[in-house]
Amino acid sequence: MSTELESDRTRSVCILCVDDDPGFVALISKLLERESDQFTTITSTSGPEALDHLQSESIDCVVSDYQMPGMDGLEFLDHVRAEYGDLPFILFTSKGSEEIASEAISRGVTDYLQKGSNTELYEVLANRVQNAVAQYQSQRAQQWLLELAENTDQILFICSHDWSELLYVNSTYEDISGRSITALRTDPTDMVSAVHPDDREQVRDAMETVSAGEPVDLTFRVNPDEQYQRWLRIRGEPIFDDEGAVVRLIGFGTDITEEQRSRQRRERQQQTLVELATDEAVTTGDLETAARRITETSAHVLDVPRVNIWLFEADDDEGTLNCVDHYEKSRDEHSSDKQVTATDYPTYFSALESQRSIAADTAREDPRTAELTDDYLEVHDIGALLDSPVRSEGKMIGAICHEHVGGPREWTEDEIEFVSDVSDIVYRAFRNRERNEYERELERQNERLEEFAAVVSHDLTNPLTVASTSLDMARDSGDEADFERAEEALDRMDDLIDDLLTLARQGQQVEETVPIALDAVAESAWEGVQSDDATLIVDFDAYRITADEARLHQLFENLFSNAIEHGSKRGRTDGSASEPAKTQRESEEGAGVEGVTITVGLLEAEAGFYVADDGPGLPDVERELLFEKGFSTTEGGTGFGLSIVESIASAHGWTVEATDSEAGGARFEIRFGTDNPWSQRADEQRSGE
């Protein structure tokens, strides 16, 4: 039997007529259809057959005889009530008695009517059918509306025009407002008690407005039991009578808490993105500081305990990522000592490469992140991940990862968008660092060009003038001394040009470094230095650093040459070409020679190395002047030796400082700094390979 609500009041009414007399049931059918065009009838001659019709047809009313063989009218009524509830059922019988009528009423019959020969009786029957069906449909419609009202997540209420009487409110009111319906029935204005104190005035104004006949639409906070954290949107409408007077008020309330929270989250996220994008560390390319601020800010905005940023190593075929910064919110600590290889987790990195972000609500089950379970997720008790790639010109150069500790977490759309935008800011910091490094390198190159031009225009002018003048004098006089003076000036020019070219090359930024043995490079550089009586002591062995070997070789050569030139305890006596410098063993075999001793050693905590001598010491000038281009205390010196040393150190990210040695001579300390933390004993490195 159909239970659909039909709004069209003119629709047909299907009547099931039941009587064991086929002729009489046909007559009833014909007379009822004649009484109303709305009526259609189906006939049946037994209770069981009628039940089959009820099962297969859409019946609006049953008209049944009482006295039928097998199943009488009352038994049939019992079946109808059991299966079809309050479906209209009229007992139309020739055997009438108060006893039967009373029994029928007790069993739930809709109406009772005795048969007769008067044709007006069928008009009465038709009216009773019409009324029974109308009442049944009305009651059913009301029930459906009540069921709908009670099963919606919206508040529905109806009040009198002056808020003096509550006519209806559904149970959702209690769930959202935190106030009882009982209190509302006692006083409909009690709903104001559920409203946040700061919002009550606007609610009272809205109640007056709708009572005056104007619709209202407002949003406010409710539910004191939840510290007024619920947000409710109410739309109120006045109902008018035919004369235009307000007779009732109806209202619809929607819980928009999540919508409001989402809006607030988005506002905070947008503000955060603006602050990060304009942060000085990001705009200036201070990647380390920018990364710390980004991870810390993201952790607080998304309320996650762990955030980290990773970048691929340049020119690394295996796809090694270094952690630029890892932030632990619970301890408020930053670290950057982690490393991971992309080839170890191909599925994860493939997904990261191809998607805007990975929002893994259950990270250990998500196929994109499940392979991280054993090595990472379980180790750190991570239940959900929200990761986004960092791209440069379409290529993934790293990732920013947000890690939720504990169980699963459902990431919202605004959170996913926020993380994608944050990854773009990481790229900006990276790009600005690259750009600034390029600009700084360009500035250094321009400075070297300017210095080169200045030396060419100034320092080379004097020897060039001397050479030219001496040659003119030699042509006139033929004096050998004039030729020698011209030759010395040309040699001076040759030395200046060599040093200038070396300075230009060594000052360029180091692009590639390799692990090399520091002691081996020092001893190799010593072999290229010429001296008759100097001695080299290397105070360590098998110690490796990462550096450009050719430039490190040049650095040692210049420091050794500087020590020999300025630190010898006695000058040359015969004016002949000097012999190759001696190692410590060769010097000991030729005892009695007073030459400078040069020592290469490691700084405390292996933070760098030094080159020291036991000569007369540093000149009495500002130490910074020693590294200025063109500064020299030796007649005929170019003044570029130590400047080249500083340029090589700076190109590696190192610093160099001049100080006094323990023996009273000069000591030059080269410190690696934080940008070159890779130095270690060669045997330690081999054992770790």
Side-chain angles (χ1 to χ4, degrees):
M1 187 186 73
S2 172
T3 58
E4 295 181 358
L5 175 64
E6 305 237 3
S7 59
D8 186 359
R9 296 182 179 180
T10 63
R11 75 175 183 85
S12 63
V13 175
C14 185
I15 306 168
L16 176 61
C17 300
V18 186
D19 197 296
D20 61 326
D21 183 342
F24 188 76
V25 78
L27 177 63
I28 295 175
S29 172
K30 183 176 180 180
L31 291 174
L32 284 175
E33 289 183 354
R34 190 175 66 180
E35 289 294 330
S36 175
D37 293 338
Q38 289 182 257
F39 290 168
T40 61
T41 59
I42 297 174
T43 61
S44 177
T45 58
S46 70
E49 183 186 11
L51 289 175
D52 290 340
H53 284 298
L54 285 168
Q55 183 69 30
S56 61
E57 306 290 341
S58 179
I59 305 299
D60 296 302
C61 182
V62 176
V63 176
S64 175
D65 188 16
Y66 163 68
Q67 197 169 20
M68 294 183 294
M71 179 186 295
D72 65 24
L74 293 181
E75 291 174 331
F76 178 41
L77 172 62
D78 290 340
H79 282 285
V80 171
R81 287 290 171 259
E83 295 293 331
Y84 305 107
D86 294 332
L87 179 70
F89 191 107
I90 298 175
L91 195 63
F92 188 53
T93 178
S94 59
K95 183 176 177 58
S97 70
E98 292 183 2
E99 182 181 351
I100 295 174
S102 176
E103 184 67 20
I105 292 172
S106 67
R107 295 190 184 189
V109 73
T110 306
D111 208 342
Y112 177 89
L113 190 64
Q114 282 189 320
K115 296 177 182 178
S117 58
N118 188 349
T119 56
E120 293 180 356
L121 179 63
Y122 296 96
E123 182 180 348
V124 174
L125 177 60
N127 287 334
R128 293 192 180 185
V129 168
Q130 189 77 58
N131 293 335
V133 170
Q135 184 178 5
Y136 172 68
Q137 291 177 345
S138 176
Q139 291 173 346
R140 188 166 58 166
Q142 290 179 15
Q143 181 61 35
W144 287 340
L145 289 174
L146 286 173
E147 290 176 359
L148 177 63
E150 288 302 321
N151 287 279
T152 182
D153 57 2
Q154 288 190 325
I155 295 175
L156 302 176
F157 66 87
I158 305 174
C159 286
S160 60
H161 72 286
D162 58 357
W163 299 93
S164 63
E165 181 183 2
L166 177 68
L167 303 177
Y168 174 78
V169 67
N170 62 351
S171 58
T172 307
Y173 170 79
E174 291 185 340
D175 299 334
I176 295 178
S177 71
R179 296 287 294 176
S180 71
I181 292 177
T182 301
L184 194 65
R185 290 191 186 281
T186 303
D187 179 9
T189 62
D190 181 73
M191 67 174 61
V192 178
S193 301
V195 178
H196 190 287
D198 293 345
D199 299 337
R200 289 176 183 174
E201 190 62 32
Q202 68 158 330
V203 172
R204 292 190 184 97
D205 291 344
M207 293 171 69
E208 293 179 3
T209 299
V210 73
S211 291
E214 294 291 333
V216 295
D217 189 335
L218 68 159
T219 299
F220 50 90
R221 293 161 291 177
V222 295
N223 202 317
D225 294 340
E226 298 179 5
Q227 290 73 50
Y228 301 103
Q229 294 300 306
R230 290 278 192 113
W231 282 88
L232 181 64
R233 180 187 179 188
I234 289 286
R235 286 171 293 171
E237 296 282 347
I239 302 298
F240 302 93
D241 62 14
D242 294 339
E243 297 178 357
V246 178
V247 293
R248 284 181 298 279
L249 308 172
I250 62 172
F252 309 89
T254 305
D255 186 342
I256 60 168
T257 303
E258 186 52 42
E259 177 185 332
Q260 193 75 4
R261 288 173 180 170
S262 176
R263 185 182 65 80
Q264 292 173 343
R265 286 197 306 268
R266 288 182 183 275
E267 289 177 355
R268 184 184 181 193
Q269 291 162 6
Q270 289 301 315
Q271 181 181 357
T272 299
L273 291 172
V274 171
E275 292 173 354
L276 287 176
T278 57
D279 187 275
E280 183 178 1
V282 174
T283 57
T284 60
D286 182 356
L287 186 59
E288 180 179 349
T289 302
R292 290 168 67 92
R293 290 179 181 167
I294 290 170
T295 56
E296 193 169 325
T297 301
S298 292
H300 286 90
V301 171
L302 296 183
D303 191 24
V304 292
R306 295 161 56 91
V307 181
N308 36 68
I309 295 175
W310 305 77
L311 290 177
F312 280 105
E313 284 189 4
D315 302 323
D316 187 329
D317 295 335
E318 293 186 357
T320 302
L321 288 97
N322 294 314
C323 182
V324 179
D325 185 72
H326 170 78
Y327 178 63
E328 288 272 1
K329 188 172 71 170
S330 61
R331 297 194 297 267
D332 193 26
E333 291 180 357
H334 293 266
S335 60
S336 57
D337 57 350
K338 296 178 177 61
Q339 195 174 67
V340 67
T341 303
T343 53
D344 292 339
Y345 308 101
T347 303
Y348 169 73
F349 279 98
S350 175
L352 202 60
E353 175 74 39
S354 61
Q355 299 178 18
R356 178 65 172 158
S357 61
I358 294 179
D361 299 344
T362 53
R364 302 180 198 186
E365 299 176 7
D366 192 300
R368 299 168 297 179
T369 56
E371 64 184 1
L372 302 171
T373 299
D374 294 340
D375 297 339
Y376 195 77
L377 303 180
E378 288 187 350
V379 174
H380 301 290
D381 191 28
I382 296 170
L385 286 174
L386 180 54
D387 301 349
S388 182
V390 178
R391 302 184 189 278
S392 175
E393 297 179 355
K395 179 182 178 182
M396 188 171 78
I397 61 172
I400 179 168
C401 307
H402 301 76
E403 302 169 354
H404 173 74
V405 173
R409 169 171 172 171
E410 185 176 352
W411 304 104
T412 62
E413 287 298 323
D414 57 274
E415 290 172 336
I416 296 171
E417 292 176 10
F418 173 73
V419 168
S420 297
D421 291 336
V422 169
S423 71
D424 291 338
I425 294 177
V426 175
Y427 161 68
R428 291 185 193 180
F430 172 82
R431 177 199 62 192
N432 290 337
R433 183 189 68 173
E434 297 290 300
R435 177 182 297 169
N436 292 342
E437 288 179 353
Y438 172 78
E439 291 176 352
R440 286 194 293 268
E441 176 60 22
L442 192 60
E443 289 176 1
R444 287 193 292 267
Q445 291 178 358
N446 289 337
E447 289 175 1
R448 289 193 293 273
L449 287 173
E450 291 175 1
E451 291 165 357
F452 189 90
V455 172
V456 169
S457 64
H458 180 268
D459 291 19
L460 291 180
T461 299
N462 289 339
L464 182 61
T465 301
V466 171
S468 177
T469 303
S470 298
L471 287 175
D472 288 341
M473 294 173 63
R475 291 190 188 98
D476 294 337
S477 65
D479 190 343
E480 185 68 23
D482 292 332
F483 284 107
E484 290 179 356
R485 188 166 52 254
E487 184 178 5
E488 289 174 357
L490 293 174
D491 288 342
R492 165 73 173 164
M493 291 173 61
D494 187 54
D495 290 342
L496 283 169
I497 291 171
D498 285 344
D499 282 349
L500 282 168
L501 292 175
T502 299
L503 182 63
R505 287 191 296 267
Q506 303 301 346
Q508 295 175 355
Q509 192 71 23
V510 172
E511 298 294 339
E512 294 184 6
T513 60
V514 295
I516 53 178
L518 186 63
D519 50 330
V521 177
E523 290 172 353
S524 174
W526 181 250
E527 293 176 0
V529 177
Q530 297 292 313
S531 176
D532 54 354
D533 52 10
T535 302
L536 174 68
I537 299 174
V538 179
D539 199 20
F540 58 89
D541 63 346
Y543 182 78
R544 285 189 174 187
I545 65 171
T546 57
D548 183 312
E549 184 172 2
R551 298 201 205 183
L552 183 60
H553 191 283
Q554 182 71 54
L555 180 145
F556 276 122
E557 278 194 0
N558 281 32
L559 289 176
F560 294 160
S561 297
N562 182 77
I564 293 170
E565 181 178 358
H566 297 282
S568 179
K569 297 177 183 177
R570 63 175 178 82
R572 300 174 186 169
T573 58
D574 56 6
S576 61
S578 58
E579 300 174 356
K582 296 179 176 59
T583 64
Q584 183 178 22
R585 181 176 59 80
E586 292 171 333
S587 180
E588 289 171 352
E589 291 174 352
V593 179
E594 289 188 87
V596 65
T597 298
I598 303 172
T599 302
V600 180
L602 298 177
L603 296 177
E604 185 178 352
E606 300 183 357
F609 62 92
Y610 66 86
V611 176
D613 63 58
D614 59 354
L618 297 169
D620 188 18
V621 296
E622 293 291 335
R623 300 296 164 87
E624 289 77 9
L625 289 176
L626 299 175
F627 300 100
E628 287 193 1
K629 301 171 181 65
F631 177 82
S632 178
T633 59
T634 303
E635 184 178 354
T638 64
F640 288 103
L642 292 181
S643 179
I644 292 171
V645 169
E646 185 180 47
S647 295
I648 294 172
S650 177
H652 282 82
W654 306 339
T655 60
V656 60
E657 182 180 353
T659 185
D660 298 324
S661 70
E662 294 180 357
R667 170 170 161 143
F668 294 91
E669 297 180 348
I670 291 87
R671 297 185 179 275
F672 298 137
T674 57
D675 291 337
N676 193 359
W678 303 51
S679 56
Q680 63 182 119
R681 295 288 181 184
D683 54 349
E684 292 176 350
Q685 187 178 56
R686 284 193 294 270
S687 66
E689 292 176 350

